[in-house]
Amino acid sequence: MDRIYDNVTKEILDEKIWLLLGEGIIKIFLVLLLSRIIIRIGKTVISKFFAVRLRSPIRVSERRETTLIKLLENILTYVINFIALIMILEIFSFDVKALLAGAGILGLAVGFGAQSLVKDIITGFFVIFEDHFSVGDYIKINNFEGEVIEIGLRTTKIKSGAGELHFIPNGSIIQVTNYSILNSMAVVDVTIPNDGSVELAEKVLIDLLNSMEGKYDALIKAPEFLGIEKISPEEIVFRIKAETKPMHHIEISRILKKEISAALDSSGIKSTYNGSES
């Protein structure tokens, strides 16, 4: 009889364990599902909030808004996931208060070893709120150059022209060059033979440059003819500069070379080029 009783008791206990396990799994699933729903709703609310600000007379720049949206979405995701983790630990009957207290003490001990992480986060906040650069900007950080894909709490992601994705800890950002804020400048040097065609070449170039005003959207104003940059017995170098919208200097430099070449050729003047874009 005792053996039968023990077997029945064991079966009952096993059933309770399975019930508790099944209940725990269901609760965990619901917590994870609810956290995903809250994150999705939160991101939608953030996007709609900034969409409303687009129609407001008081707003920050679009590039800055894009960066702030990414930052707020990251913060929302971290917070909701942390709360979900705490709820899952409570489902497994962990003493969350004691765990948090222990984590606080452990955090003080580990803090000295996590100084780089803290530095990354603090630097990230300063980068965003002082508007050093934003998502979509073309920048150079230390030795890495490319378009900003994402600014996180700890790292910044930039994509190079060759398609390489660089993950840069914010704390390691020492020097930043932002090419997307101010207008760019295209500089083209035109070389012609020193054969007495200087005055004709100057007239052709000035007429051409004046005719380009408003012709290209990337041009801020008509390119400027700066005059003779260098002169030698064999050749003369003219310098031309053009103010362009940010990051359009290479495009305008190539257009200038094409149009100048065609204009000089039609006047019977041979030309070569040196160009620099800044």
Side-chain angles (χ1 to χ4, degrees), residues 87 90 177 184 187 230:
M87 294 177 68
E90 287 183 339
T177 303
S184 301
V187 179
K230 296 178 183 178

Side-chain angles (χ1 to χ4, degrees), residues 25-40:
I25 292 173
I26 292 173
K27 286 182 178 179
I28 291 171
F29 173 77
L30 291 175
V31 168
L32 294 175
L33 178 63
L34 183 61
S35 65
R36 297 307 98 187
I37 293 173
I38 293 174
I39 289 173
R40 179 168 295 183

